[in-house]
Amino acid sequence: MGLVFTRKLGHVPWMRVILVCIFCMVEVEPSWGKGVAENSNVVSSFSRPKSVNIGALFTFNSVIGRAAKPAMAAAVDDINSNSSILQGTTLNLIFHDTNCSGFLGTMEALELMAKDVAITIGPQSSGIAHVISNVVNELRIPLLSLATDPNLSSLQYPYFLRAVHSDYFQMNAIADLIVHYGWREVITIFVDDDYGRNGISALGDALAKNRAKISYKAAFPPDASRNDINDLLVQVSLMESRIFIVHVNPDSGLKVFSIAKSLGMISNGYVWIATDWLPSVLDSVPVDPVTMDILQGVLALRHHTKDSHQKYAFTSRWKGLKYVGNSTINSYAFYAYDAVWLAAHALDSFFNQAGNLTFFSDRMINESALNLSSLRIFQGGQQLLQKLLRTNYTGLSGDIQFDSEKNLINPAVDILNIVGTGSNKIGYWSNYSGLSVVSPEILYLKPPNKSSSTQQLSSVIWPGQVTNIPRGWVFPNNGKPLQIAVPNRVSYKEFVSVDKDPQEVQGYCIDIFEAAVKLLPYPVPHKYVLIGDGIRNPDFNNLVHDVAINKYDAAVGDITIVTNRTRIVDFTQPYMESGLVVVAPVRKVKSSAWAFLKPFTLQMWIVTGSFFLLVGFAVWILEHRINSEFRGPPSQQFMTILWFSFSTMFFAHRENTVSTLGRFVLLIWLFVVLIINSSYTASLTSILTVQQLSSRIEGIDSLISSNDPIGIQDGSFARDYLVRELNIAESRIKSLKNQAEYADALERGPKNGGVAAIVDELPYVEVFLSYSNCNVQIVGQEFTKSGWGFAFERDSPLAVDLSTAILQLSENGELQRIHDKWLTSSGSCSSQSNQVDDNRLSLKSFWGLFLICGVTCFLALSIFFCRVCYQYSRYAPEVVIQDEIEAAEPVRSRRLSSASFKDLMGFIDRKEAEIKEFFKRKNSLESSQSQTSRSHSLGTLSSTD
């Protein structure tokens, strides 16, 4: 991972020149396809040689080197003593020290390659790894490196294999941590070499996927002095972000934390996250209490290695290994041990497939003036490389297997919290399931799940011994207050205005911003900067653009949140709802002699009158036979029907109803009349007091279809919306400066140089309605929905905190109080214009009542006629004599069947009392007749006897 303590030899430009010359000579023409006798001196060995050389290229006096050397030596001993692998072939491990130098490390690597090594393990330095990868490509020698630089790609270097996980995954873990805790900006502190730069570049890419970013990259050279690092930390302490990512070498890393501690930067409110270099240091050497004290609350990432009996056994015998000295074991020891075993497995498979350790000298290399003839090409390198890629076994670090991109599978890290004298493991990160408190080995058995609900970590003790998640940012400690742009309005000064004595900004929007700032848990020093000349309203699009380019820190005022603005700045939660509406002039409706007819439509009048007659006729039919008030000459009965029908309108009918059916019909009808009377009265009252539009504009649709001029507020976004979204010709749009110009333009109208209507936002219109004394009205519906908010630079954390504060203002009623202070209610003017036609009542509003009334009349008349028909079927003239009774029944049947309609009508016209008297006499006659018949029958029987 580049944890090499590199000494700067200038910038070592001469070393790069030498290497370029070497590579140019080597890469001219490999000539591998030509005959060996012509171009090379081949040295061969048997397919099962007695020994095979592998190389180890490390800085052995480094954190990684001190752990890797005893681990690799132990692996060689374990392999050579294991008869199941290599089967009699001894594995020789040749150590070469890079000595913390890029140039010397390169020379050591070239010297190592000259010793006919089949595989090279190392280097740990990213810079040397880039150079050596070119060499091994030419010599076809697989390189198992512990360098974590994500730019070291197997696509560029085919013979480069990483025996440890890339920093790409570690940086993705850090990015997920940032998102998990809700932070958006970080500052990176890193060593300025390949390892540092490329790792931070990978972090920037990972953060960008989640809309987070690196706000500042603080780099220092590998040999930076304490003063250099101090100056760098003083610089970053003045910045906004309090999230620091430290990606450095071990010695310089501890120096960074020591200086940060002395500057008071490892305290409450700060967040420090260290990459895997820090656990490597803490695991490798005994750490004194002073060092642990400066690391309190720091988060650190460590390569995750699977827990196993094999790993514990190796750890337990660590102190007895050669080359250990005073070092303790860390994760790189496991990876180095596994790298040797990986090489052994690949060589064993290589030999099983009849592979030969054959090296040949290239003519171009032999003819080099740099005396590189000892460098020879491994003829079986490609075959051995494939064996390495196909190897699959379980080592100390876990499963050793390469994926399709030649990376070790299952990348994962442990997330540590440095507390007290050690560290607490607060969770894991894996490329499979993200953040979790469950071991990755358990999660591998389940379906992958990276949803936000599953991302969990244990509680953390942050710097300053606090458990609350730090906010992650503060205002820059540079003495400069926020520069807040405020529109210098010439109209609607209730929202934003300038008080000249004293010179200060005030208004509805300003009061809301100040109230929200007071709710924040930290001070927000700020200064208002007026934008505009005071003659015309400023262009709000330009105002927002100035915030986007960081000319101002924020913009406060009546700024509408629209799509094109949200693309360049961040807005707070809307503090006022808004939307475009159409305003048109109105006039009082002139009264007329026939105004009383306007409440009902013609259809309604006709149906109502018809039902008056229908109900009157129905009641007359039901009452005619039993109620003397509904009898008399035909002319009198007709007048009775008319009088009774229309007198019910005023509940003034004089005739009494005595029949049950008549009373039922009348009850339903009086209920209908009550509803109709009430509705008529309300509608007439509204019509006589309503205002009517002076123009034909009834909403946005009729405004679009017309060719009349349209007024808008100067500086408003309404112009762009009307032109771009509604395709209205720009020549129709007139900019108006203030309420006086609004009223004048509407009064003059389109024919006299004015406008037919005004399109503006609802808050402005509500103020204008009061100003106009209700001579204008909103017509149609609000045809856009938006709101007003405060604009901040993209990803500004202040926008989020102020949004929360605005919600608190809304919940505690403060938002409404400020509204009532500055904005007067427009009362009835704010309602839409009620046109006369809208107030007229039509049949569709009452058809249900008429249906009920009609059904009631029909049922009552049906019952009445059924009863009459039944009576008529039993009717017989009073002149029927007693001796004709038996013959009368068939005669009556014939008479009924041939009775005329006139007879039926005559029967219906008769009084009910007469009909009942007739049936009474008839029943009495039939009874006496029956008694006489029985007496006659008894006499006849007696005579017979």
Side-chain angles (χ1 to χ4, degrees):
M1 82 177 194
L3 302 181
V4 55
F5 313 145
T6 308
R7 296 189 299 268
K8 281 188 68 176
L9 304 174
H11 286 289
V12 202
W14 53 271
M15 182 190 75
R16 297 185 181 274
V17 172
I18 294 175
L19 293 176
V20 169
C21 294
I22 294 174
F23 301 148
C24 290
M25 289 184 293
V26 172
E27 295 177 4
V28 171
E29 184 180 1
S31 66
W32 296 332
K34 298 183 180 180
V36 174
E38 178 183 356
N39 297 290
S40 63
N41 179 22
V42 180
V43 178
S44 300
S45 61
F46 297 101
S47 59
R48 273 290 176 182
K50 292 183 179 180
S51 64
V52 57
N53 294 335
I54 63 173
L57 192 65
F58 285 87
T59 300
F60 293 115
N61 189 26
S62 67
V63 170
I64 292 181
R66 285 191 293 268
K69 187 172 184 178
M72 289 188 292
V76 171
D77 292 340
D78 292 343
I79 292 168
N80 288 334
S81 62
N82 191 332
S83 60
S84 64
I85 191 169
L86 289 181
Q87 299 176 3
T89 300
T90 302
L91 189 65
N92 295 328
L93 181 61
I94 303 175
F95 294 104
H96 273 252
D97 198 332
T98 58
N99 294 308
C100 302
S101 169
F103 175 72
L104 295 179
T106 303
M107 295 299 102
E108 289 290 331
L110 294 175
E111 183 179 345
L112 177 63
M113 301 301 170
K115 296 181 178 179
D116 293 340
V117 293
I119 296 174
T120 299
I121 300 175
Q124 68 201 62
S125 167
S126 298
I128 299 177
H130 277 278
V131 176
I132 300 307
S133 294
N134 287 287
V135 176
V136 298
N137 281 353
E138 296 301 327
L139 301 181
R140 306 183 192 178
I141 299 175
L143 180 67
L144 295 176
S145 176
L146 268 64
T148 58
D149 181 356
N151 279 15
L152 284 167
S153 170
S154 59
L155 294 177
Q156 182 181 2
Y157 307 116
Y159 283 83
F160 172 85
L161 290 179
R162 203 188 311 270
V164 68
H165 294 295
S166 167
D167 278 342
Y168 169 83
F169 302 106
Q170 182 177 205
M171 296 307 172
N172 275 269
I174 294 176
D176 284 354
L177 269 176
I178 299 302
V179 174
H180 177 73
Y181 289 115
W183 301 317
R184 290 296 179 188
E185 294 186 6
V186 303
I187 293 176
T188 56
I189 301 172
F190 61 98
V191 61
D192 192 13
D193 59 11
D194 290 337
Y195 159 72
R197 286 190 302 270
N198 296 335
I200 296 304
S201 177
L203 175 61
D205 294 340
L207 290 172
K209 296 177 184 177
N210 298 286
R211 282 199 65 186
K213 67 178 182 178
I214 299 174
S215 60
Y216 185 74
K217 295 180 179 180
F220 57 87
D223 59 349
S225 66
R226 188 176 181 87
N227 288 336
D228 294 334
I229 297 176
N230 184 82
D231 294 342
L232 186 68
L233 292 181
V234 169
Q235 183 180 358
V236 300
S237 68
L238 300 177
M239 296 180 181
E240 183 178 272
S241 178
R242 284 294 180 263
I243 314 297
F244 300 107
I245 312 299
V246 184
H247 187 54
V248 296
N249 293 324
D251 282 354
S252 57
L254 293 177
K255 193 185 304 180
V256 167
F257 281 105
S258 176
I259 297 173
K261 181 71 173 180
S262 65
L263 294 174
M265 297 176 64
I266 305 182
S267 58
N268 188 10
Y270 288 85
V271 176
W272 292 85
I273 302 176
T275 53
D276 68 315
W277 65 267
L278 181 56
S280 298
V281 172
L282 299 181
D283 293 342
S284 297
V285 294
V287 182
D288 58 277
V290 175
T291 301
M292 293 304 298
D293 180 63
I294 67 175
L295 297 174
Q296 293 301 298
V298 173
L299 294 183
L301 276 64
R302 179 177 63 195
H303 289 290
H304 175 73
T305 55
K306 179 180 179 181
D307 291 335
S308 63
H309 294 294
Q310 183 182 2
K311 173 181 171 182
Y312 292 140
F314 181 78
T315 303
S316 63
R317 65 189 182 102
W318 174 260
K319 287 299 182 181
L321 301 179
K322 55 185 177 181
Y323 308 124
V324 167
N326 294 326
S327 66
T328 56
I329 196 169
N330 60 30
S331 60
Y332 282 94
F334 303 136
Y335 286 110
Y337 182 90
D338 288 342
V340 177
W341 271 93
L342 175 62
H345 280 291
L347 287 170
D348 188 50
S349 179
F350 175 76
F351 294 144
N352 289 337
Q353 297 294 324
N356 293 318
L357 293 177
T358 304
F359 296 88
F360 62 91
S361 299
D362 186 88
R363 182 180 62 186
M364 294 296 181
I365 298 177
N366 292 339
E367 294 177 355
S368 170
L370 296 176
N371 191 23
L372 300 175
S373 58
S374 58
L375 294 178
R376 293 184 292 182
I377 298 172
F378 180 23
Q379 194 171 28
Q382 179 61 31
Q383 183 182 359
L384 182 56
L385 176 64
Q386 296 304 316
K387 298 301 179 183
L388 286 169
L389 293 173
R390 295 191 183 99
T391 300
N392 181 4
Y393 77 100
T394 300
L396 299 182
S397 59
D399 296 332
I400 306 299
Q401 183 182 353
F402 293 98
D403 60 19
S404 58
E405 297 180 358
K406 300 182 181 180
N407 292 317
L408 288 176
I409 64 171
N410 299 333
V413 296
D414 300 333
I415 302 175
L416 309 177
N417 181 203
I418 311 300
V419 180
T421 59
S423 60
N424 293 333
K425 187 184 296 182
I426 63 171
Y428 307 89
W429 179 93
S430 69
N431 197 42
Y432 186 78
S433 56
L435 300 173
S436 175
V437 294
V438 181
S439 172
E441 286 73 29
I442 298 176
L443 297 177
Y444 293 148
L445 303 176
K446 302 177 181 180
N449 186 1
K450 287 189 177 182
S451 62
S452 57
S453 60
T454 63
Q455 304 299 292
Q456 298 178 355
L457 290 174
S458 299
S459 59
V460 177
I461 298 179
W462 304 97
Q465 300 296 310
V466 297
T467 56
N468 294 329
I469 300 175
R471 187 171 66 248
W473 67 277
V474 294
F475 282 100
N477 188 21
N478 51 19
K480 295 182 180 179
L482 292 179
Q483 300 294 304
I484 299 179
V486 175
N488 187 9
R489 297 195 59 89
V490 297
S491 61
Y492 299 109
K493 293 189 176 182
E494 296 89 345
F495 299 105
V496 179
S497 62
V498 180
D499 188 0
K500 296 182 179 180
D501 189 20
Q503 182 76 23
E504 63 179 13
V505 183
Q506 62 180 6
Y508 170 72
C509 303
I510 302 300
D511 278 8
I512 289 179
F513 179 76
E514 292 291 345
V517 167
K518 289 179 181 178
L519 293 178
L520 299 180
Y522 48 86
V524 182
H526 57 276
K527 177 182 179 183
Y528 295 116
V529 180
L530 287 175
I531 306 299
D533 55 11
I535 301 174
R536 296 185 58 183
N537 289 331
D539 189 306
F540 281 71
N541 285 333
N542 293 338
L543 185 67
V544 172
H545 181 262
D546 288 343
V547 175
I549 63 176
N550 204 23
K551 184 176 180 180
Y552 304 104
D553 297 304
V556 171
D558 45 337
I559 305 171
T560 307
I561 304 172
V562 293
T563 304
N564 63 326
R565 295 174 183 172
T566 58
R567 294 192 180 105
I568 59 176
V569 297
D570 281 348
F571 282 95
T572 61
Q573 168 80 16
Y575 60 86
M576 172 174 273
E577 293 184 357
S578 180
L580 292 177
V581 294
V582 179
V583 179
V586 297
R587 59 178 172 81
K588 290 283 185 179
V589 177
K590 295 182 179 179
S591 182
S592 66
W594 304 100
F596 68 92
L597 295 175
K598 291 181 179 180
F600 288 163
T601 61
L602 177 61
Q603 186 184 31
M604 181 65 181
W605 279 118
I606 293 173
V607 173
T608 302
S610 300
F611 263 83
F612 272 109
L613 295 175
L614 172 64
V615 172
F617 183 70
V619 172
W620 176 82
I621 291 175
L622 298 172
E623 295 288 325
H624 177 68
R625 302 183 74 192
I626 60 177
N627 192 339
S628 60
E629 294 185 5
F630 287 87
R631 299 187 67 84
S635 60
Q636 180 181 347
Q637 294 185 50
F638 179 72
M639 293 304 298
T640 299
I641 292 173
L642 292 180
W643 169 255
F644 179 83
S645 299
F646 290 102
S647 63
T648 56
M649 180 185 301
F650 311 103
F651 307 97
H653 50 283
R654 294 177 302 178
E655 294 79 9
N656 293 322
T657 53
V658 295
S659 67
T660 302
L661 293 175
R663 289 176 176 177
F664 179 67
V665 170
L666 183 61
L667 177 65
I668 298 299
W669 173 243
L670 291 179
F671 173 73
V672 174
V673 169
L674 176 65
I675 300 300
I676 293 176
N677 281 344
S678 301
S679 302
Y680 176 87
T681 303
S683 179
L684 181 61
T685 303
S686 178
I687 287 174
L688 294 178
T689 58
V690 77
Q691 290 180 320
Q692 192 175 25
L693 290 174
S694 301
S695 68
R696 65 180 184 276
I697 303 302
E698 298 178 353
I700 187 61
D701 294 331
S702 58
L703 186 61
I704 294 173
S705 60
S706 71
N707 292 319
D708 296 332
I710 303 171
I712 65 166
Q713 184 182 167
D714 192 20
S716 171
F717 79 98
R719 175 185 294 274
D720 290 340
Y721 183 85
L722 295 176
V723 173
R724 296 179 183 177
E725 302 296 333
L726 303 183
N727 297 319
I728 295 177
E730 194 167 2
S731 59
R732 293 178 56 192
I733 301 175
K734 291 187 176 182
S735 295
L736 305 173
K737 294 182 181 179
N738 50 43
Q739 295 98 310
E741 290 193 5
Y742 274 29
D744 180 65
L746 288 173
E747 183 179 356
R748 287 188 287 118
K751 295 182 179 179
N752 298 317
V755 297
I758 288 175
V759 174
D760 207 348
E761 295 181 73
L762 185 59
Y764 301 124
V765 170
E766 289 178 343
V767 175
F768 175 61
L769 291 178
S770 296
Y771 174 85
S772 66
N773 296 321
C774 299
N775 291 325
V776 296
Q777 289 289 357
I778 299 172
V779 295
Q781 299 293 327
E782 189 176 357
F783 58 92
T784 66
K785 289 290 185 182
S786 58
W788 289 355
F790 305 132
F792 289 85
E793 190 181 4
R794 289 302 293 265
D795 300 322
S796 171
L798 188 58
V800 178
D801 288 355
L802 275 179
S803 293
T804 303
I806 290 172
L807 289 175
Q808 293 178 5
L809 292 176
S810 177
E811 293 171 357
N812 62 25
E814 184 68 11
L815 212 59
Q816 185 62 43
R817 189 194 65 78
I818 298 174
H819 180 278
D820 296 340
K821 172 186 175 182
W822 288 98
L823 306 177
T824 58
S825 174
S826 57
S828 60
C829 295
S830 61
S831 61
Q832 294 184 7
S833 174
N834 293 318
Q835 302 183 39
V836 174
D837 290 340
D838 294 336
N839 289 321
R840 300 188 71 182
L841 300 174
S842 63
L843 181 61
K844 66 180 181 180
S845 301
F846 298 94
W847 70 267
L849 287 173
F850 287 129
L851 177 63
I852 294 173
C853 186
V855 170
T856 302
C857 291
F858 175 77
L859 291 176
L861 291 174
S862 296
I863 295 172
F864 172 79
F865 280 111
C866 289
R867 183 170 175 271
V868 169
C869 290
Y870 174 72
Q871 290 177 343
Y872 186 66
S873 66
R874 297 175 54 204
Y875 172 74
E878 295 180 8
V879 296
V880 178
I881 57 176
Q882 185 173 355
D883 56 355
E884 294 178 346
I885 290 178
E886 293 181 0
E889 187 66 25
V891 173
R892 188 185 305 118
S893 300
R894 289 193 299 272
R895 184 176 63 212
L896 285 173
S897 61
S898 60
S900 65
F901 180 74
K902 183 177 179 180
D903 295 335
L904 178 61
M905 291 297 102
F907 179 78
I908 294 174
D909 188 55
R910 297 183 68 176
K911 291 184 177 181
E912 182 74 16
E914 295 178 1
I915 300 299
K916 289 182 178 180
E917 182 64 26
F918 168 76
F919 285 127
K920 182 177 180 181
R921 285 188 285 107
K922 179 181 176 182
N923 291 336
S924 176
L925 179 61
E926 289 178 347
S927 176
S928 62
Q929 202 172 32
S930 175
Q931 291 177 1
T932 303
S933 176
R934 283 197 299 271
S935 299
H936 178 72
S937 298
L938 291 172
T940 302
L941 289 173
S942 299
S943 301
T944 304
D945 292 339

